[in-house]
């Protein structure tokens, strides 16, 4: 921080400044907080003291929309948005790498190492190992890796777009480690659900994780309102309608059986996300004293 600093705010120690500090950091405003007796003092460069005070008057808890809803519009464009959401970007990059290695679902030599259970193709038939056999062989990565396998450019594009939309919100609001934990949890639950209810098979994609992230943001926002988790109007309704349509079997009928939907993965992810959203929302609500 520059030597020319000045006091911008003096507040009780009980005041939570973490959200506002995060906002200043994302706006690249140097700042320092120190404790003086029973108060905390925020100091910033003297040239921006008045602007910081005005910003605090408007957004004492931080304005999540500056990062969560409009990252591409900030100075630096997409590159800045990617750097501001490193874990979300890393997951999408890994997904793109896997899409290239698997040729979007055409390279079964690679896909067989990423599916929930191993398989071999003999003529027109596929023979699958059991989950127990895979785990006994130490292939624990299979519990998660199906989420990175996509079949076709549309499947990849839609899932990638929604992971970017939902993942960066959670990374901003609750941090990269929470997004990592939720991604792994929802991936594990959705993959297990699909295996248990659909049996051995070749399935994949981020959609189960996405329904988990959707449920998490939706119910977290209901219990502890925050701009970061305020989804565009109609998004939750649209996603739930799509889930019902998929469950009805209409998609399989219209595609003449060429397109299979991992319905159990979607439902499993959504249920898990609703549970974490309720728990997280209640904890955040308690922490804020509401």
């Amino acid at each position: 921080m520059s030597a020319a600093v000045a006091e911008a705010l003096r507040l009780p120690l009980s005041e939570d400044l973490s959200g506002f500090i995060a906002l200043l950091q994302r706006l690249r405003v140097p700042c320092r907080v120190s404790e003086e007796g029973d108060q905390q003092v925020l100091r910033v460069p003297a040239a921006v003291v008045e602007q910081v005070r005005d910003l605090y008057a408007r957004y004492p808890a931080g304005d999540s929309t500056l990062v969560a809803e409009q990252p591409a519009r900030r100075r630096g464009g997409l590159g800045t948005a990617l750097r501001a959401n490193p874990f979300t970007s890393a997951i999408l990059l890994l997904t793109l790498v896997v899409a290239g290695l698997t040729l979007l679902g055409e390279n079964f030599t690679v896909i067989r190492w990423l599916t929930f259970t191993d398989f071999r193709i003999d003529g027109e038939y596929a023979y699958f190992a059991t989950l127990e056999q895979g785990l006994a062989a130490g292939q624990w990565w299979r519990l998660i890796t199906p989420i990175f396998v996509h079949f076709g450019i549309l499947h990849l594009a839609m899932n990638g777009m929604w992971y970017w939309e939902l993942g960066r919100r959670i990374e901003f609001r609750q941090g990269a480690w929470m997004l990592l934990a939720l991604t792994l949890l929802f991936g594990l639950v959705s993959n297990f659900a699909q295996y248990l209810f659909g049996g051995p098979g070749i399935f994949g994609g981020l959609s189960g994780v996405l329904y988990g992230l959707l449920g998490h943001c939706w119910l977290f926002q209901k219990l502890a309102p925050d701009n970061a988790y305020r989804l565009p109007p109609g998004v939750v309704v649209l996603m739930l309608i799509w889930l019902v349509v998929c469950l009805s079997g209409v998609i399989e009928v219209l595609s003449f059986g060429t397109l299979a939907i991992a319905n159990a993965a979607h439902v499993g992810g959504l249920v898990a996300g609703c549970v974490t959203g309720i728990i997280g929302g209640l904890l955040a609500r308690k922490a804020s004293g509401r």
Side-chain angles (χ1 to χ4, degrees):
M1 183 181 292
S2 170
V5 298
E7 178 182 312
L9 298 170
R10 182 177 288 268
L11 300 164
L13 291 175
S14 59
E15 192 77 18
D16 184 6
L17 274 176
S18 59
F20 186 68
I21 295 300
L23 172 59
L24 292 180
Q25 291 173 342
R26 282 166 173 78
L27 294 177
R28 302 185 185 279
V29 176
C31 60
R32 183 174 64 233
V33 178
S34 59
E35 293 186 13
E36 298 182 8
D38 60 349
Q39 294 183 314
Q40 53 184 330
V41 179
L42 172 68
R43 290 183 171 85
V44 299
V48 297
V49 167
E50 291 304 321
Q51 292 94 319
V52 169
R53 288 173 178 168
D54 178 64
L55 191 65
Y56 182 76
R58 290 183 291 138
Y59 308 113
D63 181 15
S64 307
T65 59
L66 290 178
V67 175
E69 293 184 359
Q70 298 176 328
R73 298 180 185 178
R74 296 170 61 206
R75 184 164 59 87
L78 181 60
T80 300
L82 293 174
R83 288 191 296 273
N85 304 278
F87 183 78
T88 306
S89 303
I91 289 294
L92 291 177
L93 177 60
L94 180 57
T95 302
L96 289 173
V97 170
V98 172
L101 293 174
T102 62
L103 301 179
L104 288 173
E106 297 293 331
N107 187 349
F108 288 100
T109 302
V110 175
I111 290 176
R112 62 169 294 191
W113 287 102
L114 302 174
T115 50
F116 200 70
T117 57
D118 193 10
F119 67 91
R120 65 181 177 85
I121 296 178
D122 187 358
E124 298 182 355
Y125 298 94
Y127 299 90
F128 291 88
T130 65
L131 176 61
E132 291 76 12
Q133 289 173 326
L135 296 181
Q139 299 174 353
W140 293 89
W141 69 83
R142 293 184 182 277
L143 300 178
I144 297 297
T145 50
I147 70 175
F148 299 109
V149 179
H150 288 82
F151 304 94
I153 189 64
L154 183 61
H155 189 207
L156 174 66
M158 292 297 294
N159 282 354
M161 178 189 73
W162 279 111
Y163 191 85
W164 173 252
E165 180 66 28
L166 296 170
R168 61 185 175 147
R169 293 171 181 270
I170 294 173
E171 185 167 6
F172 170 74
R173 176 66 175 83
Q174 295 183 270
W177 288 111
M178 178 58 72
L179 178 57
L180 170 61
L182 292 177
T183 299
L184 293 177
L185 173 63
F186 299 152
L188 188 63
V189 170
S190 60
N191 288 339
F192 258 114
Q194 185 59 37
Y195 177 77
L196 291 175
F197 289 92
I202 301 175
F203 58 85
L206 277 166
S207 51
V209 173
L210 296 179
Y211 270 101
L213 299 181
L214 177 72
H216 180 82
C217 291
W218 175 32
L219 293 186
F220 194 111
Q221 168 69 10
K222 292 289 186 182
L223 295 169
D226 186 277
N227 283 332
Y229 288 174
R230 184 172 294 136
L231 299 171
V235 166
V236 174
V237 174
L238 178 63
M239 293 288 281
L240 293 179
I241 290 176
W242 176 249
L243 178 61
V244 172
V245 170
C246 291
L247 288 170
S248 71
V250 171
I251 303 300
E252 285 86 346
V253 172
L254 293 179
S255 65
F256 300 100
T258 61
L259 181 61
I261 306 296
N263 291 315
H266 296 172
V267 174
L270 180 61
V271 171
C274 288
V275 171
T276 62
I278 291 173
I279 294 173
L282 288 174
L283 291 175
R285 189 171 183 173
K286 181 179 180 180
S288 65
R290 287 179 291 188

